[in-house]
């Protein structure tokens, strides 16, 4: 009989052969020594644990109460795929540093997909970048980082109570500490000669709005009175006066505007 396993999202074991054996399968969390799942299967069947976040697994196969197969999770030198399951710029910037931390901790061959690959791929030469939805072969394990309220996908599904970056460290089994990513900043020259300030008045969550009806306009007017040009960066044009709207520009151009401005004012967003 032959045993086939992988850890692509879940711990998975399939048994193939021609015997009539019945095997007892145990999925154990080595960190806590807790039996997470146990089941009996015959030949040419499979079994999997439902947990999709990082676990230091030990898979034990028994026949007639004797251990006939055992595998301890070890992704050193193996192909690991991490997908950042959010199109939001802020989520991606917050979570990406822990992809590199996982690679360094486990010394694995790291493949990563994000919706903002161009921000990182020139700076992280040891990570192979692919587009979301790409087929990646010969994987040992795979993880998705996202805002999940399913306890099988995230050990702390009450994400509203977590720091944004801790969502990633919890799923990847890493110690939480704040890390900033290295972002590819183009060396474009300043395209606006006068002193200017960038503002961004929107974010993906309405709870992040500045609930002050006149706050932004008063801020803009004050900056203009001090001799600054004000650029509003966003996806949609605003109705504010005394601003230059920079709408739906490529992210490389937006980075250049922010990189060369006197300062930036924004909400809790990717641009901030």
């Amino acid at each position: 009989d032959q045993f086939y396993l992988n850890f692509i999202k879940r711990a998975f074991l399939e048994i193939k052969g021609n015997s009539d054996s019945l095997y007892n399968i145990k999925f154990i969390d080595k960190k806590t020594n807790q039996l997470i799942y146990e089941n009996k299967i015959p030949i040419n069947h499979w079994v999997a644990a439902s947990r999709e976040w990082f676990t230091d697994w030990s898979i034990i196969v028994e026949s007639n109460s004797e251990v006939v197969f055992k595998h301890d999770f070890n992704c050193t030198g193996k192909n690991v795929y991490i997908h950042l399951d959010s199109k939001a710029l802020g989520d991606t910037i917050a979570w990406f540093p822990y992809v590199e931390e996982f690679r360094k901790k486990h010394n694995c061959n790291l493949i990563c997909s994000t919706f903002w690959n161009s921000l990182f791929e020139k700076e992280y030469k040891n990570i192979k970048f692919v587009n979301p939805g790409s087929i990646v072969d010969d994987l040992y394990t795979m993880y998705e980082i996202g805002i999940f309220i399913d306890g099988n996908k995230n050990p702390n599904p009450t994400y509203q109570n977590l720091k944004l970056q801790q969502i990633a460290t919890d799923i990847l089994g890493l110690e939480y500490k704040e890390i900033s990513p290295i972002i590819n900043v183009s060396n474009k020259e300043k395209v606006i000669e006068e002193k200017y300030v960038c503002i961004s008045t929107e974010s993906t969550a309405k709870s992040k709005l500045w609930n002050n009806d006149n706050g932004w306009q008063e801020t803009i007017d004050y900056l203009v009175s001090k001799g600054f040009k004000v650029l509003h960066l966003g996806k949609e044009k605003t109705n504010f006066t005394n601003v230059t709207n920079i709408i739906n520009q490529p992210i490389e151009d937006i980075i250049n505007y922010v990189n060369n401005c006197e300062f930036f004012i924004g909400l809790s967003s990717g641009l901030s």
Side-chain angles (χ1 to χ4, degrees), residues 123-137:
E123 303 294 340
Y124 292 87
K125 301 296 186 181
N126 293 317
I127 294 176
K128 178 182 178 180
F129 289 87
V130 298
N131 293 324
S134 298
I135 296 175
V136 182
D137 296 323

Side-chain angles (χ1 to χ4, degrees), residues 118-187:
S118 63
L119 295 182
F120 311 109
E121 50 193 350
K122 290 184 179 179
E123 303 294 340
Y124 292 87
K125 301 296 186 181
N126 293 317
I127 294 176
K128 178 182 178 180
F129 289 87
V130 298
N131 293 324
S134 298
I135 296 175
V136 182
D137 296 323
D138 194 27
L139 290 179
Y140 181 75
T141 186
M142 174 184 176
Y143 304 99
E144 286 186 332
I145 302 176
I147 296 176
F148 307 120
I149 59 173
D150 182 349
N152 290 325
K153 290 178 173 288
N154 190 335
N156 288 310
T158 55
Y159 65 90
Q160 297 94 335
N161 299 324
L162 298 178
K163 299 176 177 66
L164 179 60
Q165 290 190 309
Q166 192 178 342
I167 293 173
T169 58
D170 283 357
I171 292 174
L172 294 178
L174 299 171
E175 177 186 356
Y176 170 70
K177 58 181 178 179
E178 289 186 351
I179 302 176
S180 296
I182 304 172
I183 293 178
N184 177 41
V185 177
S186 60
N187 293 319

Side-chain angles (χ1 to χ4, degrees), residues 185-240:
V185 177
S186 60
N187 293 319
K188 293 182 180 179
E189 296 181 359
K190 189 175 181 181
V191 295
I192 298 176
E193 292 303 322
E194 62 261 52
K195 290 185 177 182
Y196 69 94
V197 173
C198 290
I199 66 171
S200 181
T201 63
E202 297 178 351
S203 187
T204 49
K206 292 295 184 182
S207 60
K208 297 176 184 177
L209 288 174
W210 186 9
N211 295 312
N212 179 337
D213 292 339
N214 300 314
W216 282 114
Q217 189 62 63
E218 291 177 0
T219 301
I220 293 165
D221 294 342
Y222 175 78
L223 291 170
V224 171
S225 74
K226 294 297 182 181
F228 294 106
K229 184 182 183 72
V230 179
L231 273 57
H232 180 269
L233 310 179
K235 292 186 176 181
E236 298 177 357
K237 186 176 179 180
T238 70
N239 294 321
F240 300 125

Side-chain angles (χ1 to χ4, degrees), residues 245-261:
N245 285 288
I246 307 296
I247 306 302
N248 277 331
Q249 296 284 335
I251 188 62
E252 293 79 11
D253 292 340
I254 296 297
I255 289 173
N256 191 50
Y257 281 121
V258 174
N259 201 39
N260 287 296
C261 72

Side-chain angles (χ1 to χ4, degrees), residues 28-174:
I28 297 172
D29 182 341
K30 289 196 298 179
K31 183 177 180 180
T32 62
N33 200 32
Q34 179 184 4
L35 178 63
I36 303 301
Y37 183 66
E38 182 177 13
N39 203 346
K40 291 183 179 181
I41 60 172
I43 294 300
N44 298 319
H45 284 67
W46 61 266
V47 65
S50 59
R51 183 186 291 184
E52 296 187 16
W53 36 276
F54 176 85
T55 303
D56 191 10
W57 289 111
S58 181
I59 299 178
I60 297 174
V61 180
E62 298 173 335
S63 177
N64 297 321
S65 300
E66 292 187 4
V67 176
V68 295
F69 177 83
K70 184 175 184 292
H71 180 87
D72 291 333
F73 179 92
N74 183 356
C75 62
T76 300
K78 299 183 176 69
N79 295 335
V80 175
Y81 181 20
I82 298 177
H83 170 58
L84 273 57
D85 191 43
S86 174
K87 294 182 179 180
L89 177 64
D91 293 346
T92 304
I93 291 174
W95 296 337
F96 182 80
Y98 305 102
V99 176
E100 173 68 357
E101 290 301 298
F102 189 95
R103 185 196 68 80
K104 292 190 295 186
K105 178 178 179 179
H106 295 281
N107 194 25
C108 57
N109 305 321
L110 207 297
I111 302 108
C112 180
S113 62
T114 82
F115 293 92
W116 298 91
N117 286 352
S118 63
L119 295 182
F120 311 109
E121 50 193 350
K122 290 184 179 179
E123 303 294 340
Y124 292 87
K125 301 296 186 181
N126 293 317
I127 294 176
K128 178 182 178 180
F129 289 87
V130 298
N131 293 324
S134 298
I135 296 175
V136 182
D137 296 323
D138 194 27
L139 290 179
Y140 181 75
T141 186
M142 174 184 176
Y143 304 99
E144 286 186 332
I145 302 176
I147 296 176
F148 307 120
I149 59 173
D150 182 349
N152 290 325
K153 290 178 173 288
N154 190 335
N156 288 310
T158 55
Y159 65 90
Q160 297 94 335
N161 299 324
L162 298 178
K163 299 176 177 66
L164 179 60
Q165 290 190 309
Q166 192 178 342
I167 293 173
T169 58
D170 283 357
I171 292 174
L172 294 178
L174 299 171

